[in-house]
Coordinates of all heavy atoms in Angstrom, one line a residue:
M1 N 9.5 -17.4 49.9 CA 9.9 -16.6 50.9 C 11.1 -15.7 50.4 O 12.0 -16.2 49.9 CB 10.4 -17.4 52.1 CG 10.3 -16.7 53.4 SD 10.7 -17.6 54.9 CE 10.4 -19.3 54.6
N2 N 10.9 -14.4 50.5 CA 12.0 -13.5 50.1 C 13.1 -13.5 51.1 O 12.9 -13.2 52.3 CB 11.3 -12.1 50.0 CG 12.3 -11.0 49.5 OD1 13.5 -11.2 49.6 ND2 11.8 -9.9 49.1
P3 N 14.3 -13.8 50.7 CA 15.5 -13.9 51.6 C 15.9 -12.6 52.2 O 16.6 -12.5 53.2 CB 16.6 -14.5 50.8 CG 16.2 -14.2 49.4 CD 14.7 -14.1 49.3
H4 N 15.3 -11.5 51.7 CA 15.7 -10.1 52.2 C 14.7 -9.5 53.1 O 14.9 -8.4 53.5 CB 16.0 -9.2 51.0 CG 17.1 -9.8 50.1 ND1 18.4 -9.9 50.5 CD2 17.0 -10.3 48.9 CE1 19.1 -10.4 49.5 NE2 18.3 -10.7 48.5
S5 N 13.6 -10.2 53.4 CA 12.6 -9.6 54.3 C 12.2 -10.7 55.3 O 12.4 -11.9 55.1 CB 11.4 -9.2 53.5 OG 10.8 -10.3 52.8
A6 N 11.6 -10.2 56.4 CA 11.1 -11.1 57.4 C 10.0 -12.0 56.8 O 9.2 -11.6 56.0 CB 10.6 -10.4 58.6
P7 N 10.0 -13.3 57.2 CA 8.9 -14.2 56.7 C 7.6 -13.8 57.2 O 7.5 -13.3 58.4 CB 9.4 -15.6 57.2 CG 10.3 -15.3 58.3 CD 10.9 -14.0 58.1
T8 N 6.6 -14.0 56.4 CA 5.2 -13.7 56.9 C 4.7 -14.9 57.6 O 5.3 -16.0 57.5 CB 4.3 -13.4 55.7 OG1 4.2 -14.6 54.9 CG2 4.8 -12.3 54.8
R9 N 3.6 -14.8 58.3 CA 2.9 -16.0 59.0 C 2.6 -17.0 57.9 O 2.7 -18.2 58.2 CB 1.7 -15.5 59.7 CG 2.1 -14.7 61.0 CD 0.9 -14.4 61.8 NE 1.3 -13.5 62.8 CZ 0.7 -12.3 63.1 NH1 -0.3 -12.0 62.4 NH2 1.2 -11.5 64.0
A10 N 2.1 -16.6 56.8 CA 1.8 -17.6 55.7 C 3.1 -18.3 55.3 O 3.0 -19.6 55.1 CB 1.1 -16.9 54.5
D11 N 4.2 -17.6 55.2 CA 5.5 -18.3 54.8 C 5.8 -19.3 55.9 O 6.3 -20.4 55.5 CB 6.6 -17.2 54.7 CG 6.5 -16.3 53.5 OD1 5.8 -16.7 52.5 OD2 7.0 -15.2 53.6
L12 N 5.7 -18.9 57.1 CA 6.1 -19.8 58.2 C 5.2 -21.1 58.2 O 5.7 -22.2 58.4 CB 6.0 -19.1 59.6 CG 7.0 -18.0 59.8 CD1 6.7 -17.3 61.1 CD2 8.4 -18.6 59.9
S13 N 3.9 -20.9 58.0 CA 2.9 -22.0 58.0 C 3.3 -22.9 56.8 O 3.3 -24.2 56.9 CB 1.5 -21.5 57.9 OG 1.1 -20.9 59.1
Q14 N 3.6 -22.4 55.6 CA 3.9 -23.2 54.5 C 5.2 -23.9 54.7 O 5.4 -25.1 54.4 CB 4.1 -22.3 53.2 CG 4.5 -23.0 52.0 CD 3.5 -24.1 51.6 OE1 2.3 -23.9 51.8 NE2 4.0 -25.1 51.0
H15 N 6.2 -23.3 55.4 CA 7.5 -23.9 55.7 C 7.2 -25.1 56.6 O 7.8 -26.2 56.3 CB 8.4 -22.9 56.4 CG 9.7 -23.5 56.8 ND1 10.7 -23.8 56.0 CD2 10.1 -23.9 58.1 CE1 11.7 -24.4 56.6 NE2 11.4 -24.4 57.9
W16 N 6.4 -25.0 57.6 CA 6.1 -26.1 58.5 C 5.4 -27.3 57.7 O 5.7 -28.4 57.9 CB 5.2 -25.7 59.7 CG 6.0 -25.1 60.8 CD1 5.9 -23.8 61.2 CD2 7.0 -25.7 61.6 NE1 6.8 -23.6 62.2 CE2 7.5 -24.7 62.5 CE3 7.5 -27.0 61.6 CZ2 8.5 -25.0 63.4 CZ3 8.5 -27.3 62.6 CH2 9.0 -26.3 63.5
R17 N 4.4 -26.9 56.8 CA 3.7 -27.9 56.1 C 4.7 -28.7 55.2 O 4.7 -29.9 55.1 CB 2.7 -27.3 55.2 CG 1.4 -27.0 55.9 CD 0.2 -26.6 55.0 NE 0.5 -25.4 54.2 CZ 0.2 -24.2 54.7 NH1 -0.2 -24.0 55.9 NH2 0.5 -23.2 53.9
E18 N 5.7 -28.0 54.6 CA 6.7 -28.7 53.7 C 7.6 -29.6 54.6 O 7.9 -30.7 54.2 CB 7.5 -27.6 53.0 CG 6.7 -26.9 51.9 CD 7.4 -25.7 51.3 OE1 8.6 -25.5 51.6 OE2 6.8 -25.0 50.5
L19 N 8.0 -29.0 55.7 CA 8.9 -29.8 56.6 C 8.2 -31.1 57.1 O 8.7 -32.2 57.0 CB 9.3 -29.0 57.8 CG 10.1 -29.7 58.9 CD1 11.5 -30.0 58.4 CD2 10.2 -28.8 60.1
L20 N 6.9 -31.0 57.5 CA 6.2 -32.1 58.0 C 5.8 -33.1 57.0 O 5.6 -34.3 57.2 CB 5.0 -31.7 58.8 CG 5.3 -31.0 60.1 CD1 4.1 -30.3 60.7 CD2 6.0 -31.9 61.1
A21 N 5.8 -32.7 55.7 CA 5.4 -33.6 54.6 C 6.7 -34.4 54.1 O 6.5 -35.3 53.4 CB 4.9 -32.8 53.4
H22 N 7.8 -34.0 54.6 CA 9.1 -34.7 54.2 C 9.0 -36.1 54.7 O 8.5 -36.4 55.7 CB 10.3 -34.0 54.8 CG 11.6 -34.5 54.3 ND1 12.2 -35.7 54.8 CD2 12.4 -34.1 53.3 CE1 13.3 -35.9 54.1 NE2 13.4 -34.9 53.2
R23 N 9.5 -37.0 53.8 CA 9.3 -38.5 54.1 C 10.0 -38.9 55.4 O 9.6 -39.9 56.0 CB 9.9 -39.3 53.0 CG 11.4 -39.2 52.8 CD 11.8 -40.1 51.6 NE 13.3 -40.1 51.5 CZ 14.0 -39.3 50.8 NH1 13.4 -38.3 50.2 NH2 15.3 -39.4 50.8
N24 N 10.9 -38.2 55.9 CA 11.6 -38.5 57.2 C 11.0 -37.9 58.4 O 11.4 -38.2 59.5 CB 13.1 -38.3 57.1 CG 13.8 -39.1 56.1 OD1 13.4 -40.3 55.9 ND2 14.8 -38.6 55.4
A25 N 10.1 -37.0 58.2 CA 9.5 -36.2 59.4 C 8.9 -37.1 60.4 O 9.2 -37.0 61.6 CB 8.5 -35.2 58.9
Q26 N 8.1 -38.1 60.0 CA 7.4 -39.0 60.9 C 8.4 -39.9 61.6 O 8.3 -40.2 62.8 CB 6.3 -39.8 60.3 CG 5.1 -38.9 59.8 CD 4.5 -38.1 60.9 OE1 4.3 -38.6 62.0 NE2 4.3 -36.8 60.7
T27 N 9.4 -40.3 60.9 CA 10.5 -41.1 61.4 C 11.2 -40.4 62.5 O 11.5 -40.9 63.6 CB 11.5 -41.6 60.4 OG1 10.8 -42.3 59.4 CG2 12.6 -42.4 60.9
L28 N 11.5 -39.1 62.3 CA 12.2 -38.3 63.3 C 11.3 -38.1 64.6 O 11.8 -38.2 65.7 CB 12.6 -36.9 62.8 CG 13.7 -37.0 61.7 CD1 13.9 -35.6 61.1 CD2 15.0 -37.5 62.3
I29 N 10.0 -37.9 64.3 CA 9.1 -37.8 65.5 C 9.1 -39.1 66.3 O 9.1 -39.1 67.5 CB 7.7 -37.4 65.0 CG1 7.7 -35.9 64.5 CG2 6.7 -37.6 66.1 CD1 6.4 -35.5 63.8
D30 N 9.0 -40.2 65.5 CA 9.0 -41.5 66.2 C 10.3 -41.7 67.0 O 10.2 -42.3 68.2 CB 8.9 -42.7 65.2 CG 7.5 -42.7 64.6 OD1 6.5 -42.1 65.2 OD2 7.3 -43.4 63.5
I31 N 11.4 -41.4 66.5 CA 12.7 -41.5 67.2 C 12.7 -40.7 68.5 O 13.1 -41.1 69.6 CB 13.9 -41.1 66.3 CG1 14.1 -42.2 65.2 CG2 15.2 -41.0 67.1 CD1 15.0 -41.8 64.1
A32 N 12.2 -39.4 68.4 CA 12.2 -38.6 69.5 C 11.2 -39.1 70.6 O 11.5 -39.1 71.8 CB 11.8 -37.1 69.1
L33 N 10.0 -39.6 70.2 CA 9.1 -40.1 71.1 C 9.6 -41.4 71.8 O 9.4 -41.6 73.0 CB 7.7 -40.4 70.4 CG 6.9 -39.2 70.1 CD1 5.7 -39.5 69.2 CD2 6.5 -38.4 71.3
D34 N 10.3 -42.2 71.0 CA 10.8 -43.4 71.6 C 11.9 -43.1 72.6 O 12.0 -43.8 73.7 CB 11.4 -44.3 70.5 CG 11.9 -45.7 71.0 OD1 11.0 -46.3 71.7 OD2 13.0 -46.1 70.8
E35 N 12.7 -42.1 72.4 CA 13.7 -41.7 73.3 C 13.1 -41.2 74.6 O 13.5 -41.5 75.7 CB 14.6 -40.6 72.7 CG 15.7 -40.1 73.7 CD 16.5 -39.0 73.0 OE1 16.8 -39.0 71.8 OE2 16.8 -38.0 73.8
D36 N 12.0 -40.4 74.5 CA 11.3 -39.9 75.7 C 10.5 -40.9 76.4 O 10.5 -41.0 77.6 CB 10.3 -38.7 75.3 CG 11.1 -37.4 75.0 OD1 12.3 -37.3 75.3 OD2 10.5 -36.5 74.4
F37 N 9.7 -41.7 75.7 CA 8.9 -42.7 76.3 C 9.5 -44.1 76.6 O 9.2 -44.7 77.5 CB 7.6 -42.9 75.5 CG 6.6 -41.8 75.5 CD1 6.2 -41.2 74.3 CD2 6.1 -41.3 76.7 CE1 5.4 -40.1 74.3 CE2 5.3 -40.2 76.7 CZ 4.9 -39.6 75.5
G38 N 10.4 -44.5 75.7 CA 11.0 -45.8 75.8 C 10.0 -46.9 76.0 O 9.1 -47.1 75.2
R39 N 10.0 -47.5 77.2 CA 9.1 -48.5 77.6 C 7.8 -48.0 78.3 O 7.1 -48.8 78.9 CB 9.8 -49.6 78.4 CG 10.8 -50.4 77.6 CD 11.5 -51.4 78.5 NE 12.8 -50.9 78.7 CZ 13.7 -51.4 79.5 NH1 13.3 -52.4 80.3 NH2 14.9 -50.9 79.6
G40 N 7.6 -46.8 78.2 CA 6.4 -46.2 78.9 C 6.8 -45.3 80.0 O 7.9 -45.1 80.4
D41 N 5.7 -44.7 80.6 CA 5.9 -43.9 81.8 C 5.2 -44.5 82.9 O 4.0 -44.5 83.1 CB 5.2 -42.5 81.5 CG 5.4 -41.5 82.6 OD1 5.7 -41.9 83.7 OD2 5.1 -40.3 82.4
I42 N 6.0 -45.2 83.8 CA 5.4 -46.0 84.9 C 4.6 -45.2 85.9 O 3.6 -45.7 86.4 CB 6.5 -46.8 85.6 CG1 7.6 -46.0 86.3 CG2 7.1 -47.8 84.7 CD1 8.5 -46.7 87.2
T43 N 5.0 -43.9 86.1 CA 4.2 -43.1 87.0 C 2.8 -42.8 86.5 O 1.8 -43.0 87.2 CB 4.9 -41.7 87.3 OG1 6.2 -42.0 87.7 CG2 4.1 -40.9 88.2
T44 N 2.7 -42.4 85.2 CA 1.4 -42.2 84.6 C 0.6 -43.5 84.5 O -0.6 -43.5 84.9 CB 1.6 -41.7 83.1 OG1 2.3 -40.5 83.2 CG2 0.3 -41.5 82.4
E45 N 1.2 -44.6 84.2 CA 0.5 -45.9 84.1 C 0.0 -46.3 85.5 O -1.0 -46.9 85.6 CB 1.5 -47.0 83.5 CG 1.7 -46.7 82.0 CD 2.8 -47.6 81.5 OE1 3.3 -48.5 82.2 OE2 3.2 -47.4 80.3
A46 N 0.8 -46.0 86.6 CA 0.3 -46.4 87.9 C -0.8 -45.5 88.4 O -1.6 -45.9 89.2 CB 1.5 -46.3 88.8
L47 N -0.8 -44.2 88.0 CA -1.8 -43.3 88.6 C -3.1 -43.2 87.8 O -4.1 -42.8 88.4 CB -1.2 -41.9 88.7 CG 0.0 -41.8 89.7 CD1 0.6 -40.4 89.6 CD2 -0.5 -42.1 91.1
F48 N -3.1 -43.4 86.5 CA -4.3 -43.1 85.7 C -4.7 -44.4 84.9 O -3.9 -45.1 84.4 CB -4.0 -42.0 84.7 CG -3.6 -40.7 85.3 CD1 -2.2 -40.4 85.4 CD2 -4.5 -39.9 85.9 CE1 -1.8 -39.2 86.0 CE2 -4.1 -38.7 86.5 CZ -2.8 -38.4 86.6
P49 N -6.0 -44.6 84.9 CA -6.5 -45.7 84.0 C -6.2 -45.5 82.6 O -6.0 -44.3 82.1 CB -8.1 -45.6 84.2 CG -8.3 -44.8 85.4 CD -7.1 -43.9 85.6
Q50 N -6.0 -46.5 81.8 CA -5.5 -46.4 80.4 C -6.4 -45.5 79.5 O -5.8 -44.8 78.7 CB -5.4 -47.8 79.8 CG -4.8 -47.8 78.4 CD -4.6 -49.2 77.9 OE1 -4.9 -50.2 78.6 NE2 -4.0 -49.3 76.8
N51 N -7.7 -45.6 79.7 CA -8.5 -44.8 78.8 C -9.1 -43.5 79.4 O -10.1 -43.0 78.9 CB -9.7 -45.7 78.3 CG -9.2 -46.8 77.5 OD1 -8.3 -46.7 76.7 ND2 -9.8 -48.0 77.7
Q52 N -8.5 -43.0 80.4 CA -8.9 -41.8 81.1 C -8.7 -40.6 80.2 O -7.6 -40.4 79.7 CB -8.3 -41.6 82.4 CG -8.8 -40.3 83.1 CD -8.3 -40.2 84.6 OE1 -7.9 -41.2 85.1 NE2 -8.4 -39.0 85.1
A53 N -9.8 -39.8 80.0 CA -9.6 -38.5 79.2 C -8.9 -37.5 80.1 O -9.0 -37.5 81.3 CB -11.0 -38.1 78.8
A54 N -8.2 -36.6 79.4 CA -7.5 -35.5 80.1 C -7.5 -34.3 79.2 O -7.8 -34.3 78.0 CB -6.1 -36.0 80.4
K55 N -7.2 -33.2 79.8 CA -7.2 -31.9 79.1 C -5.9 -31.2 79.6 O -5.5 -31.3 80.7 CB -8.4 -31.0 79.5 CG -8.4 -29.7 78.8 CD -9.7 -29.0 79.1 CE -9.7 -27.7 78.3 NZ -11.0 -26.9 78.6
A56 N -5.2 -30.6 78.6 CA -3.9 -30.0 78.9 C -3.8 -28.7 78.2 O -4.4 -28.5 77.2 CB -2.7 -30.9 78.5
S57 N -3.0 -27.8 78.7 CA -2.7 -26.5 78.1 C -1.2 -26.2 78.2 O -0.5 -26.6 79.1 CB -3.4 -25.4 78.8 OG -4.8 -25.5 78.8
I58 N -0.7 -25.6 77.2 CA 0.7 -25.1 77.2 C 0.5 -23.5 77.2 O 0.0 -22.9 76.3 CB 1.5 -25.5 75.9 CG1 1.5 -27.0 75.9 CG2 2.9 -24.9 75.9 CD1 2.1 -27.6 74.6
C59 N 1.0 -22.9 78.3 CA 0.8 -21.5 78.5 C 2.2 -20.8 78.6 O 3.1 -21.3 79.2 CB 0.0 -21.3 79.8 SG -1.6 -22.1 79.9
A60 N 2.2 -19.6 78.1 CA 3.4 -18.8 78.1 C 3.5 -18.2 79.5 O 2.5 -17.7 80.1 CB 3.4 -17.6 77.1
R61 N 4.7 -18.2 80.1 CA 4.9 -17.6 81.4 C 5.6 -16.2 81.3 O 5.7 -15.4 82.2 CB 5.8 -18.4 82.3 CG 5.1 -19.7 82.7 CD 5.9 -20.5 83.7 NE 7.1 -21.0 83.1 CZ 8.1 -21.6 83.7 NH1 8.0 -21.8 85.0 NH2 9.2 -22.1 83.0
Q62 N 6.0 -15.9 80.1 CA 6.5 -14.5 79.8 C 6.2 -14.2 78.3 O 5.8 -15.1 77.5 CB 8.0 -14.5 80.0 CG 8.8 -15.5 79.1 CD 10.3 -15.5 79.6 OE1 10.6 -15.4 80.7 NE2 11.1 -15.8 78.6
A63 N 6.4 -13.0 77.9 CA 6.2 -12.6 76.5 C 7.1 -13.4 75.6 O 8.3 -13.6 76.0 CB 6.4 -11.1 76.3
L64 N 6.6 -13.9 74.5 CA 7.4 -14.7 73.5 C 6.8 -14.6 72.2 O 5.7 -14.2 72.0 CB 7.5 -16.1 74.0 CG 6.2 -16.9 74.3 CD1 5.7 -17.5 73.0 CD2 6.4 -18.0 75.3
V65 N 7.6 -15.0 71.2 CA 7.1 -15.2 69.8 C 6.7 -16.7 69.7 O 7.6 -17.5 69.9 CB 8.1 -14.8 68.8 CG1 7.6 -15.0 67.4 CG2 8.4 -13.3 68.9
F66 N 5.5 -17.0 69.4 CA 5.0 -18.3 69.2 C 5.6 -19.0 68.0 O 5.5 -18.4 66.9 CB 3.5 -18.4 69.2 CG 2.9 -19.7 69.0 CD1 2.9 -20.6 70.1 CD2 2.5 -20.2 67.8 CE1 2.4 -21.9 70.0 CE2 1.9 -21.5 67.7 CZ 1.9 -22.3 68.8
C67 N 6.2 -20.1 68.2 CA 6.7 -20.9 67.0 C 6.8 -22.3 67.3 O 6.8 -22.7 68.5 CB 8.1 -20.4 66.6 SG 9.4 -20.6 67.8
G68 N 6.6 -23.2 66.3 CA 6.7 -24.6 66.5 C 5.4 -25.3 66.8 O 5.3 -26.4 67.1
G69 N 4.3 -24.5 66.7 CA 3.0 -25.1 66.9 C 2.7 -26.3 66.0 O 2.2 -27.3 66.5
P70 N 2.9 -26.2 64.7 CA 2.6 -27.3 63.9 C 3.4 -28.6 64.2 O 2.9 -29.7 64.1 CB 2.9 -26.8 62.5 CG 2.7 -25.3 62.6 CD 3.2 -25.0 64.0
I71 N 4.7 -28.4 64.6 CA 5.5 -29.6 65.0 C 4.9 -30.2 66.3 O 4.8 -31.4 66.4 CB 7.0 -29.3 65.0 CG1 7.8 -30.6 65.1 CG2 7.4 -28.4 66.2 CD1 7.9 -31.4 63.8
A72 N 4.6 -29.3 67.2 CA 4.0 -29.9 68.5 C 2.7 -30.6 68.2 O 2.5 -31.7 68.7 CB 3.7 -28.7 69.4
E73 N 1.9 -30.0 67.3 CA 0.6 -30.7 66.9 C 0.9 -32.0 66.2 O 0.2 -33.0 66.6 CB -0.1 -29.8 65.9 CG -1.5 -30.2 65.6 CD -2.2 -29.2 64.7 OE1 -1.6 -28.4 64.1 OE2 -3.5 -29.3 64.7
A74 N 1.9 -32.1 65.4 CA 2.3 -33.4 64.7 C 2.7 -34.4 65.7 O 2.4 -35.6 65.6 CB 3.3 -33.1 63.6
V75 N 3.5 -34.0 66.7 CA 4.0 -34.9 67.7 C 2.8 -35.4 68.6 O 2.7 -36.6 68.8 CB 5.1 -34.2 68.6 CG1 5.4 -35.1 69.8 CG2 6.3 -33.9 67.8
F76 N 2.0 -34.6 69.0 CA 0.8 -35.0 69.8 C -0.1 -35.9 69.0 O -0.6 -36.9 69.5 CB 0.0 -33.8 70.3 CG 0.7 -33.0 71.4 CD1 0.8 -31.6 71.3 CD2 1.3 -33.7 72.5 CE1 1.5 -30.9 72.3 CE2 1.9 -32.9 73.5 CZ 2.0 -31.6 73.4
Q77 N -0.3 -35.6 67.7 CA -1.1 -36.5 66.9 C -0.5 -37.8 66.7 O -1.2 -38.8 66.6 CB -1.3 -35.8 65.5 CG -2.3 -34.7 65.5 CD -3.7 -35.2 65.8 OE1 -4.2 -36.1 65.2 NE2 -4.4 -34.5 66.7
R78 N 0.9 -37.9 66.7 CA 1.6 -39.2 66.5 C 1.4 -40.0 67.8 O 1.3 -41.2 67.7 CB 3.1 -38.9 66.3 CG 3.8 -40.1 65.8 CD 3.4 -40.4 64.4 NE 4.3 -41.4 63.9 CZ 4.0 -42.1 62.8 NH1 3.0 -41.8 62.1 NH2 4.9 -43.0 62.4
V79 N 1.3 -39.4 68.9 CA 1.0 -40.1 70.2 C -0.4 -40.7 70.2 O -0.6 -41.8 70.6 CB 1.3 -39.2 71.4 CG1 0.8 -39.9 72.7 CG2 2.7 -38.8 71.5
D80 N -1.4 -39.8 69.8 CA -2.8 -40.2 69.8 C -3.5 -39.5 68.7 O -3.7 -38.3 68.8 CB -3.4 -40.0 71.1 CG -4.8 -40.4 71.2 OD1 -5.5 -40.8 70.2 OD2 -5.4 -40.5 72.4
S81 N -3.8 -40.2 67.6 CA -4.5 -39.5 66.5 C -5.9 -39.0 66.8 O -6.4 -38.2 66.0 CB -4.5 -40.5 65.3 OG -5.3 -41.6 65.6
E82 N -6.4 -39.4 67.9 CA -7.8 -38.9 68.3 C -7.7 -37.6 69.1 O -8.8 -37.1 69.5 CB -8.5 -40.0 69.0 CG -8.9 -41.1 68.0 CD -9.7 -42.2 68.7 OE1 -10.5 -41.9 69.6 OE2 -9.7 -43.3 68.2
L83 N -6.5 -37.1 69.5 CA -6.4 -35.9 70.3 C -7.0 -34.7 69.5 O -6.9 -34.6 68.3 CB -4.9 -35.6 70.6 CG -4.2 -36.5 71.6 CD1 -2.8 -36.1 71.7 CD2 -4.9 -36.4 72.9
K84 N -7.6 -33.9 70.3 CA -8.2 -32.6 69.7 C -7.2 -31.5 70.1 O -7.0 -31.3 71.3 CB -9.6 -32.4 70.2 CG -10.6 -33.4 69.7 CD -12.0 -33.1 70.2 CE -12.9 -34.2 69.7 NZ -13.4 -35.0 70.7
I85 N -6.6 -30.9 69.1 CA -5.6 -29.9 69.4 C -6.1 -28.5 68.8 O -6.5 -28.5 67.7 CB -4.2 -30.3 68.8 CG1 -3.8 -31.6 69.4 CG2 -3.2 -29.2 69.0 CD1 -2.7 -32.3 68.6
T86 N -6.0 -27.5 69.6 CA -6.4 -26.2 69.2 C -5.2 -25.2 69.4 O -4.8 -25.0 70.6 CB -7.6 -25.6 70.0 OG1 -8.7 -26.6 69.8 CG2 -8.1 -24.3 69.4
L87 N -4.6 -24.7 68.4 CA -3.6 -23.7 68.5 C -4.2 -22.4 68.6 O -5.0 -22.0 67.7 CB -2.6 -23.8 67.3 CG -1.9 -25.1 67.2 CD1 -1.0 -25.1 65.9 CD2 -1.0 -25.4 68.4
L88 N -4.0 -21.6 69.6 CA -4.6 -20.3 69.9 C -3.8 -19.2 69.4 O -4.2 -18.0 69.5 CB -4.9 -20.1 71.3 CG -5.8 -21.2 72.0 CD1 -6.0 -20.9 73.4 CD2 -7.2 -21.3 71.2
A89 N -2.6 -19.4 68.8 CA -1.8 -18.4 68.2 C -1.2 -18.9 66.9 O -1.0 -20.0 66.7 CB -0.6 -18.1 69.2
D90 N -1.0 -17.9 66.0 CA -0.4 -18.2 64.7 C 1.1 -18.2 64.8 O 1.7 -17.5 65.7 CB -0.8 -17.2 63.7 CG -2.3 -17.2 63.3 OD1 -2.8 -18.4 63.3 OD2 -2.9 -16.2 63.1
E91 N 1.8 -18.9 64.0 CA 3.3 -18.8 63.9 C 3.8 -17.4 63.8 O 3.2 -16.6 63.1 CB 3.8 -19.6 62.7 CG 3.7 -21.1 62.8 CD 4.6 -21.7 63.9 OE1 5.8 -21.6 63.8 OE2 4.0 -22.2 64.9
G92 N 4.8 -17.0 64.6 CA 5.3 -15.7 64.5 C 4.6 -14.6 65.3 O 4.9 -13.5 65.3
T93 N 3.5 -15.0 66.0 CA 2.7 -14.1 66.8 C 3.3 -13.8 68.2 O 3.8 -14.7 68.8 CB 1.3 -14.6 67.0 OG1 0.7 -14.9 65.7 CG2 0.4 -13.6 67.7
L94 N 3.4 -12.6 68.6 CA 3.8 -12.2 69.9 C 2.7 -12.7 70.9 O 1.5 -12.3 70.7 CB 4.0 -10.7 70.1 CG 4.4 -10.3 71.5 CD1 5.8 -10.9 71.9 CD2 4.5 -8.7 71.6
V95 N 3.1 -13.5 71.9 CA 2.2 -14.0 72.9 C 2.6 -13.5 74.3 O 3.8 -13.5 74.6 CB 2.2 -15.5 72.9 CG1 1.3 -16.1 74.0 CG2 1.8 -16.1 71.5
T96 N 1.6 -13.0 75.1 CA 1.9 -12.6 76.4 C 1.1 -13.4 77.4 O 0.0 -13.9 77.0 CB 1.6 -11.1 76.6 OG1 0.2 -10.9 76.2 CG2 2.5 -10.2 75.7
P97 N 1.6 -13.6 78.6 CA 0.8 -14.4 79.6 C -0.5 -13.8 80.0 O -0.8 -12.6 79.8 CB 1.7 -14.4 80.8 CG 3.0 -13.7 80.5 CD 2.8 -13.1 79.1

């Protein structure tokens, strides 16, 4: 990455790959998930059967530059390795609602 120019999408993707390959990345994800989930989510456990399939979307409510997709993908995969995740925008892309 040239320090004097804006990073390209390829630079950003490579940066995320390097970050997520770091030996402590999964540990940090585990710590964050443990903080959020702790002993579980009693509301979810009370309302939904354990193996119920679901579908979710993360949608922009205003114009923004998409970033962090690979880390979100890594976190969701850590929760359930069988999740199917489709990122519809590249890092650094302007997204509108």
